[in-house]
Amino acid sequence: MRRLSLLALATVMLAGLLPAGSPAIAQEAQILLVAHPDVNTRQLKRDTTRAIFAMRQRTWPNGQALRVFVLDNNHPVHARFAKEQLAVYPHQLQLAWDRMVFSGTGQAPDRVRDQAEMREQVATTPGALGYLEREYLDDRVQVISME
């Protein structure tokens, strides 16, 4: 009987049926907005952030030129950022970018290969904005909070 209980528990664990708070399930790293250290803005509203990443807003609230960096659409961090932070799907962002590029009314954000390149580009490009998982943060970029 005890063997049957252990077998049932193992089956539940393997099937991923444990509650979300279970220690057996790994937590995904938080994704944060990051900016060049010289940017004066410390906080953005979600709607403003969405407009920036949709490339509809091209300046910081104080008028400083903005340069947006994103990971590839297929990158899991990009997908999580779009869904969790912007409340849109990555393909919706891509459609907005394509529409602006093809109509000649705007441009797409700059793409980077990985989070290390994202950190480097944001740290060295005045007015830059991007996103990183917490583990990629260092003192060369500043975190922008989103309300």
Side-chain angles (χ1 to χ4, degrees), residues 47-122:
D47 288 343
T48 303
T49 306
R50 190 179 297 126
I52 289 169
F53 279 92
M55 302 303 286
R56 292 189 316 264
Q57 181 168 329
R58 297 181 182 130
T59 61
W60 286 97
N62 68 358
Q64 180 183 12
L66 188 85
R67 183 117 173 244
V68 179
F69 291 93
V70 297
L71 294 163
D72 188 77
N73 285 345
N74 297 325
H75 197 288
V77 172
H78 177 72
R80 283 185 42 229
F81 174 75
K83 289 184 221 174
E84 295 171 8
Q85 305 294 327
L86 303 179
V88 298
Y89 289 101
H91 72 271
Q92 291 173 301
L93 285 175
Q94 187 64 54
L95 286 171
W97 301 335
D98 290 347
R99 196 168 28 254
M100 285 188 298
V101 169
F102 294 135
S103 69
T105 60
Q107 61 186 31
D110 294 298
R111 290 201 193 270
V112 293
R113 288 183 311 274
D114 54 32
Q115 292 186 80
E117 184 180 358
M118 173 80 76
R119 181 183 55 222
E120 186 62 31
Q121 289 296 331
V122 170

